[in-house]
Amino acid sequence: MRDLTPDERQELRRELGAVAADWAQRLNGSDAEAQPRADHEPSYAVRMRTHLARMAAGEQMRGLLADLVSTSAQEAVQYGAGYPELGAAVGASRQAARKRWPNLPISKRRASEWKQPPGGIGWAGDSHLGYPGGA
């Protein structure tokens, strides 16, 4: 995956702004159209309500996007992703991903793919290490 270019970020910002403005108008109702002024300029109160409605829509979008990210993380894990990949996808470390999604069922198969020490038995314990009394 790659990061968005500055132009792509600006385009996404414009698109999200348009979505927020559309939903703000829905949340605000048709107040702006219901109170037309003679000079066709919206009053300060109408402008304030418009911006507050855009804030409310943006906050709702933030929650929905967080849900989308979490659902995508769960689905990525089902297809074999681990914390390193989840962290990379959101621009964070493996540790940050583990803290953000602590209860994801990271596959035991994935853990078995991690590099094992010689003999595959762990660093302590068996007689091949030369310790007395090893089994």
Side-chain angles (χ1 to χ4, degrees):
M1 279 176 279
R2 65 175 179 80
D3 288 339
L4 295 175
T5 66
D7 289 341
E8 290 171 329
R9 286 183 61 83
Q10 188 62 26
E11 181 182 351
L12 183 56
R13 182 184 303 270
R14 277 192 302 270
E15 289 176 12
L16 288 173
V19 170
D22 180 52
W23 278 97
Q25 188 174 6
R26 293 181 192 193
L27 293 173
N28 208 13
S30 58
D31 289 346
E33 292 84 29
Q35 299 176 352
R37 293 180 44 174
D39 59 3
H40 301 290
E41 280 290 317
S43 69
Y44 284 109
V46 170
R47 289 180 185 178
M48 178 188 65
R49 282 194 307 273
T50 299
H51 289 290
L52 291 173
R54 194 178 324 159
M55 287 174 60
E59 196 60 30
Q60 291 292 321
M61 289 169 59
R62 181 195 317 254
L64 293 169
L65 286 171
D67 291 345
L68 174 68
V69 170
S70 291
T71 299
S72 295
Q74 292 169 357
E75 291 171 354
V77 165
Q78 289 175 355
Y79 291 100
Y83 287 118
E85 291 84 7
L86 296 178
V90 296
S93 67
R94 173 192 59 80
Q95 295 88 344
R98 187 176 182 132
K99 188 174 183 179
R100 185 170 178 180
W101 299 290
N103 298 319
L104 288 179
I106 300 298
S107 170
K108 291 187 191 282
R109 174 192 58 80
R110 179 148 171 92
S112 70
E113 293 172 357
W114 298 338
K115 186 174 181 179
Q116 295 292 317
I121 57 162
W123 290 108
D126 283 9
S127 61
H128 80 280
L129 296 174
Y131 292 109

